[in-house]
Every structure is written in C-alpha cells, then in structure tokens.
C-alpha cells in the first residue's frame, strides 16, 4: 500500500506521544518507562512515530521537501515496532506500517541513506547484506559434513541467514545448532553457498522490490528441494518468511520455525534431553522480530472513513496486530527447562521490550545510536542481578556483544542455543 493509503492515520495522529512510552499500566519503573529508542536518543518529537506521521503527511501535501535532516529523522529509527504496540493501546492507528511506506517513498523518490548503500549493493551483487562474497556463504559449516539440499533429499532445511553465515564470531551458534539437530535425529540439510537473503531487512529500509525478489527465489528453491520444514536461528528471517511473505501475497508451502520453537518441540518429544546442570542466573532479551513483529499477518480488505472529522470507522471492523501474539513463551520455557538455570525478567519484556539497537538499518548507518540503544538494554539487564543476557537472534547478539566490549561489566551475552548445548 502506498503512503497515501495511510493518510487517514497520519491525519488522525493526535500527537499524544503514547508511542514514546511503555503503556502506563505496564510500566514497572520510571527509569525504564520509555519504549522508543529514537526519541530517547534525539529528544525531538520528529524522532518518534508521531513525528514521522506528521512528516509523512507534510511530504505528501508538499509542505516540506527532502533534506538530509528529514532523512536522518526517518531513518534514525530501529523499526522495532514498540511505538506501534503503545499507540494501539489507546488509538488504533498503524504507525509502523506508515513508517515502512514512508521509507519506501524515500527510496522510490531516489533519496537514500549513504550508510545503507554498501549493504544494499552487496545484496544485489552477492545475495547477502554482509558485504561478503556469496561463494563463501556456506563456509561456517566446513567440516560438519552436513547434507546439501541442492543435491540431497532432506526433511528439514536449516537456513542460517546472512548474519550467522558471515559473522565468524557467531559461527559457533550455527554449527552448534546443526549438531543439536543431528543429535536429535533430525534429517537436516543446508543450502551452503546457494542460500540467499530473506529480503526482510532491505524491505524495512524501504527497498520493497528486494523482498518480492527474494520471496520468489526462496519459495522456488524450497519447492524444488522437497523440504518439509525450514528452521532458522534468525528472527529477521523467521519474521520475513512467515509474516512479510504472507503480507505481499507470497505463500510458501513449507512450515517455517524459529530454532527455539523447534528445540522446544524436540525436548517435549524426548528427542533431546537437557540433563546437565547449568548453574547460572540469566535474563532473556526478546528480539523484536521474534516478538511483537512476528505476530501473524492479518489480511483486511475493507473501507475506512472518517466520521465527525476525527474518528476512523472501518467496515468491516479491522482486526489489528498488537504485538501480543509473538513468540514469547517458548524461549522462556526452553531456558526454564535447563537444570540449574534461573530466569529473571527485565522491567521491559515481551511486546514492551526495549530493542537491542541493531534493527532498521541503524547498525549500518548510525552505529553510535545502535550502541547507545544496546547499552540501555544491557544496563536494564544488569538491574536484574543476572550473570548473563540471553537472546535468540544473531543481530541482537552482534550488537549486545559490541556493547559489552564498551562496558565495565561482568555480564555475559549468550545465544539460547549455546546454553541448550551446555545442558545436553
Ligand atoms: S503515533 Fe499514535 S501514539 Fe504516537 S502521537 Fe500519533 S496517535 Fe499518539
Ligand atoms: S520503531 Fe522503535 S525507534 Fe522507531 S519510532 Fe517506533 S519505537 Fe521508536
């Protein structure tokens, strides 16, 4: 839907600023009451969902023109969707969808962020966002003797995703996942150098055509291979395959699971037994793309109109995505099933979680802002008294590891798979 189709929401935005805060009834302490990293960092209304609603409207009405400041305002935002959840606690608007379309308009109009171009060019040339040669994509699996689905028939495809495929410091997560799945007797394969990006991150940056292109390529490759299931460690890929492909009308006839969902299933089926004590107190960081952004897409074809000058009426009534139906319980269940491990929660969790800082192209174009956002999350994690922060996303892992290097802290950062492995 083009930006014009969100005009009714942009006009309805009342500048109430709910999108900057955790909803009042969910606030647990003043220090961690904000939900929007953008407004917290830049302290000007434009750097919030409400501000971007006004900017989008002004752009459409020709009241403002593109400038470097406007682009920074639009892109200094993780697209994590915290604003969307909070806004919908009091008004049913679509700030996140509006911001996505605002970015798409920027790209269509030729106004792009310079800091994004290396990753976008890499995507177009090498099929990954990591500025690495596609021929090296399967290198993380060297020596594992794992099946290749382009040659062998397998039931389950493990899709590593761009970050795990090329970030050597994180290869242990992908390699550990393959070992775990094989230990559980899963007939698993990978695509090696033939694996391509999901297209989701580029879509978030406004490059909508890339999503359609990679949706088609992935769907075709999976169909040709005959796999029954795709498992990924990356919440961005998980959200893209399950939500964004559906949103653009590309239905894939393969079940896609995040690794936490599949491990939970394998443990419940007694295929994996967690028996070793891991005596540790940890806190869990909800990745935005596994949590509030992973809520299934809801199709709605109706008519919207304004009544009494202000209110919006939908016919038939529209069901909104409010972020509550993401994957929240399974990663926690997984942690709780590890003997000796204690889970303590941060003040902001589930759909009200604070972003790690790496999303929306911020890590690539505004790395300092990404670190500042991650620092706030790690400080929040420290208040729990836990020894470690655990996440289930390689992009969170990368940013939080980078943050920890700048801190004087004893806290560690783990991917959930690393802890499951310790407990086997
Ligand atoms: S986007 Fe929603 S929460 Fe934010 S100012 Fe507008 S109406 Fe209020
Ligand atoms: S997506 Fe995140 S950073 Fe952007 S406006 Fe919403 S809450 Fe703020």
């Amino acid at each position: 839907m083009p930006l014009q189709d969100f005009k009714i929401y942009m006009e309805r935005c009342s500048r109430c600023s709910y999108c900057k805060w955790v909803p009042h009834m969910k606030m647990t302490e003043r220090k961690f009451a904000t939900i929007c990293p953008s407004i917290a960092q830049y302290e000007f209304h434009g750097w919030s969902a409400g501000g971007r609603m006004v900017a989008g409207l002004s752009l459409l009405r020709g009241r403002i023109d593109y400038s470097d400041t406007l682009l920074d305002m639009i892109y200094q935002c993780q697209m994590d969707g915290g604003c969307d959840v909070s806004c919908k606690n009091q008004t049913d608007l679509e700030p996140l969808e509006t911001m996505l379309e605002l970015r798409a308009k920027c790209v269509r109009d030729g106004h792009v962020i310079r800091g994004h171009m290396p990753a976008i060019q890499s995507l177009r040339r090498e099929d990954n966002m990591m500025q690495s040669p596609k021929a090296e994509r399967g290198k993380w699996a060297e020596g594992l003797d794992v099946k290749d689905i382009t040659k062998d028939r397998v039931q389950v495809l493990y899709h590593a995703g761009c970050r795990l495929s090329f970030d050597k410091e994180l290869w242990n997560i992908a390699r550990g996942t393959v070992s775990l799945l094989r230990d559980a007797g899963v007939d698993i394969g990978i695509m090696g150098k033939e694996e391509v990006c999901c297209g989701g991150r580029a879509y978030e940056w406004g490059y909508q055509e890339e999503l359609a292109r990679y949706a088609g390529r992935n769907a075709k490759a999976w169909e040709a291979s005959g796999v029954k299931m795709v498992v990924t460690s990356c919440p961005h890929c998980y959200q893209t395959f399950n939500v964004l492909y559906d949103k653009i009308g590309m239905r894939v006839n393969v079940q896609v699971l995040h690794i936490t969902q599949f491990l939970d299933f394998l443990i419940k089926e007694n295929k994996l037994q967690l028996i070793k004590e891991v005596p540790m107190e940890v806190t869990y960081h909800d990745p935005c793309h596994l949590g509030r952004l992973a809520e299934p897409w809801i199709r709605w074809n109706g008519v919207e109109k304004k009544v009494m000058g202000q209110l919006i009426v939908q016919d038939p009534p529209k069901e909104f995505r409010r972020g509550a139906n993401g994957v929240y319980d399974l990663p926690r269940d997984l942690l709780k099933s590890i003997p000796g491990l204690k889970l303590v929660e941060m003040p902001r969790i589930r759909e009200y979680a604070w972003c790690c800082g790496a999303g929306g192209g911020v890590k690539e174009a505004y790395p300092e802002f990404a670190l500042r956002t991650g620092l706030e999350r790690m400080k929040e994690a420290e208040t729990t008294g836990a020894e470690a922060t655990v996440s289930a996303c390689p992009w969170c892992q990368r940013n939080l590891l980078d943050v920890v290097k700048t801190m004087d802290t004893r806290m560690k950062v783990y991917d959930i798979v690393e802890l499951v492995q310790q407990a086997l």
Side-chain angles (χ1 to χ4, degrees):
M1 275 166 69
L3 186 63
Q4 295 86 283
D5 291 1
F6 292 90
K7 207 160 151 244
I8 197 165
Y9 295 117
M10 293 186 270
E11 288 171 346
R12 176 71 183 96
C13 170
S14 59
R15 293 33 159 194
C16 67
S17 292
Y18 267 63
C19 50
K20 300 169 186 170
W21 302 93
V22 172
H24 298 160
M25 56 289 197
K26 297 289 175 185
M27 283 178 188
T28 52
E29 50 186 287
R30 194 186 177 285
K31 201 165 166 212
F32 299 113
T34 51
I35 202 161
C36 173
S38 186
I39 191 73
Q41 170 79 22
Y42 296 100
E43 298 181 315
F44 194 80
H45 183 67
W47 275 255
S48 70
R52 294 182 186 102
M53 298 280 251
V54 180
L57 195 58
S58 302
L59 205 55
L60 283 181
R61 288 182 173 161
R63 288 182 181 169
I64 56 169
D65 206 349
Y66 287 105
S67 66
D68 287 347
T69 308
L70 179 68
L71 286 179
D72 283 343
M73 197 185 100
I74 292 169
Y75 279 92
Q76 283 167 341
C77 157
Q78 276 88 355
M79 301 302 273
D80 56 82
C83 50
D84 202 76
V85 172
S86 287
C87 177
K88 285 172 181 161
N89 261 265
Q90 57 92 36
T91 317
D92 276 333
L93 303 186
E94 298 278 13
L96 185 64
E97 291 302 311
T98 307
M99 293 193 297
L100 280 166
E101 290 309 323
L102 181 55
R103 287 181 169 206
K105 178 173 167 54
C106 292
V107 171
R108 267 198 307 273
D109 291 348
H111 296 279
V112 298
I113 296 289
R114 266 189 300 280
H116 287 166
M117 291 328 288
I120 294 297
Q121 280 155 4
S122 162
L123 181 66
R124 289 173 177 163
R125 208 174 38 232
E126 305 291 348
D127 292 326
N128 69 72
M129 303 282 280
M130 297 286 293
Q131 300 168 57
S132 299
K134 61 174 144 196
E136 293 179 10
R137 188 156 189 134
K139 258 187 150 182
W140 63 269
E142 266 175 14
L144 282 180
D145 195 26
V146 59
K147 285 183 188 168
D148 178 344
I149 73 149
T150 61
K151 299 182 192 115
D152 311 300
R153 285 258 147 193
V154 293
Q155 296 287 310
V156 177
L157 164 67
Y158 175 62
H159 177 94
C162 295
R163 172 55 68 182
L164 279 192
S165 293
F166 294 106
D167 188 332
K168 284 188 186 158
E169 214 186 319
L170 305 185
W171 279 1
N172 64 316
I173 298 170
R175 291 175 70 86
T177 304
V178 168
S179 305
L180 273 179
L181 298 183
R182 288 207 300 211
D183 284 350
V186 179
D187 180 24
I188 181 189
I190 60 170
M191 284 181 78
K193 64 178 169 33
E194 299 301 324
E195 183 184 292
V196 295
C197 180
C198 61
R201 284 172 67 79
Y203 179 81
E204 266 180 7
W205 301 4
Y207 297 84
Q208 297 197 341
E209 284 172 13
E210 263 65 17
L211 178 70
R213 192 148 60 86
Y214 285 103
R217 285 181 65 178
N218 278 308
K220 206 165 147 204
W222 298 347
E223 201 176 316
S225 72
V227 292
K228 300 280 177 287
M229 184 189 284
V230 176
V231 175
T232 181
S233 300
C234 179
H236 287 254
C237 300
Y238 172 81
Q239 188 248 5
T240 302
F241 297 150
N242 279 320
V243 183
L244 298 184
Y245 286 6
D246 187 16
K247 178 180 175 183
I248 62 167
M250 171 64 73
R251 289 184 190 265
V252 286
N253 293 326
V254 177
Q255 186 181 20
V256 180
L257 294 184
H258 184 255
I259 186 64
T260 52
Q261 297 172 310
F262 198 40
L263 288 178
D264 180 76
F265 165 79
L266 293 172
I267 289 166
K268 285 180 181 146
E269 290 286 300
N270 253 338
K271 303 246 170 69
L272 280 178
Q273 284 164 359
L274 307 186
I275 48 172
K276 246 164 88 185
E277 290 261 327
V278 182
M280 198 188 283
E281 198 166 289
V282 304
T283 189
Y284 176 67
H285 165 71
D286 286 285
C288 305
H289 288 75
L290 191 59
R292 55 188 167 232
L293 298 176
E295 185 159 307
W297 186 250
I298 302 172
R299 220 162 280 286
W300 179 78
N301 290 312
V303 181
E304 291 180 294
K305 60 180 178 212
K306 268 205 254 171
V307 294
M308 294 157 66
Q310 274 290 317
L311 303 177
I312 302 172
V313 173
Q314 282 109 1
D315 185 19
K318 181 174 174 181
E319 200 184 329
F320 285 87
R321 295 166 72 237
R322 299 177 192 281
N325 296 317
V327 181
Y328 299 115
D329 292 325
L330 293 186
R332 289 176 166 80
D333 289 352
L334 209 50
L335 288 170
K336 286 180 202 156
S337 66
I338 296 177
L341 188 138
K342 188 176 170 215
L343 173 66
V344 284
E345 296 282 11
M346 284 188 259
R348 291 172 290 193
I349 56 170
R350 301 173 76 95
E351 68 263 45
Y352 311 110
W354 181 260
C355 171
C356 77
V362 167
K363 182 87 176 154
E364 289 77 1
Y366 308 100
E368 285 303 314
F369 174 33
L371 288 178
R372 287 280 293 271
T373 304
L375 183 63
E376 170 150 352
R377 192 54 163 167
M378 287 306 294
K379 288 200 165 147
E380 184 178 357
E382 277 187 326
T383 65
T384 66
E387 294 153 61
T389 301
V390 184
S391 193
C393 170
W395 298 92
C396 298
Q397 181 85 357
R398 175 72 278 146
N399 202 44
L400 296 180
L401 284 171
D402 291 347
V403 167
V404 164
K405 286 176 200 157
T406 69
M407 291 173 80
D408 179 19
T409 181
R410 64 181 183 90
M411 261 210 144
K412 303 255 184 309
V413 177
Y414 290 110
D415 185 272
I416 202 162
V417 164
E418 296 176 285
L419 298 184
V420 170
Q421 267 193 301
Q422 285 186 33
L424 280 178

